Amino acid sequence: MGHPTDSTCIFCKIAADQIPCTKVYEDDAVLAFLDIGPLVRGHTLVIPKGHYATVMETPPEVLAEIAKRLPGLSKAVLAATGAKACHVLVNSGAEAMQSVHHLHFHILPRKGGDTFRIPWNAGKLDSVEGTALAAAIKGQMGC
Ligand code: 5GP
Ligand code: ZN
């Protein structure tokens, strides 16, 4: 169907209906299904049908196809689970806890008083280091 695939990839097999999943949405470009190991009730994964390992390797237009569907999918997951908020997150690369190397967005519905926690051990941005870092990133972006 014109998109790249990896015959060893479990999400490519799911997208090709070779391995079953609990689908919640599907169209030509995107598939959404329930995570087999939910962190919270309603934990949903959204993938492009094409195989791209990380955000960094995904063509912007493929990311745009996913982005277009995220508001509707997030609202549907929230409505179905009775949640009022959610995390939408992407682990991109092994060091960032990515275990399945086919791009996927996690939708994690949250409710007041739930017990799910993401450690968020905030530091403090040093202004000198921050200025240098911002310059380095701007340089990489060509601006
Ligand atoms: P990652 O750590 O790569 O961001 O997340 C991978 C997610 O995929 C995990 O939450 C894991 O439970 C889920 N997962 C792995 N294999 C399967 C599978 O075969 N089916 C489904 N539905 N989810 C899977
Ligand atoms: Zn894949």
Side-chain angles (χ1 to χ4, degrees):
M1 301 228 294
H3 51 237
T5 58
D6 176 339
S7 61
T8 67
C9 169
I10 193 147
F11 285 0
C12 282
K13 289 179 184 166
I14 286 175
D17 275 329
Q18 292 164 2
I19 288 181
C21 70
T22 310
K23 283 183 196 179
V24 302
Y25 176 79
E26 182 171 26
D27 60 36
D28 285 350
V30 169
L31 174 67
F33 52 97
L34 297 182
D35 194 297
I36 203 169
L39 293 171
V40 293
R41 182 168 174 270
H43 185 170
T44 299
L45 301 175
V46 187
I47 68 168
K49 289 205 166 166
H51 180 90
Y52 305 97
T54 66
V55 166
M56 295 74 84
E57 290 159 55
T58 306
E61 55 273 20
V62 173
L63 279 169
E65 291 299 320
I66 296 178
K68 274 191 245 174
R69 291 151 180 88
L70 281 175
L73 276 167
S74 300
K75 280 190 273 188
V77 171
L78 296 197
T81 57
K84 289 198 164 42
C86 64
H87 303 280
V88 177
L89 64 86
V90 182
N91 298 328
S92 222
E95 293 84 352
M97 296 169 53
Q98 185 177 14
S99 61
V100 177
H101 296 277
H102 178 132
L103 178 76
H104 50 283
F105 283 65
H106 296 258
I107 300 175
L108 297 163
R110 297 298 306 271
K111 292 182 181 178
D114 68 18
T115 56
F116 178 66
R117 294 288 175 271
I118 297 178
W120 203 279
N121 303 320
K124 186 171 183 338
L125 181 65
D126 176 84
S127 62
V128 174
E129 214 261 323
T131 301
L133 187 54
I137 296 168
K138 284 183 198 167
Q140 290 292 327
M141 291 298 291
C143 60

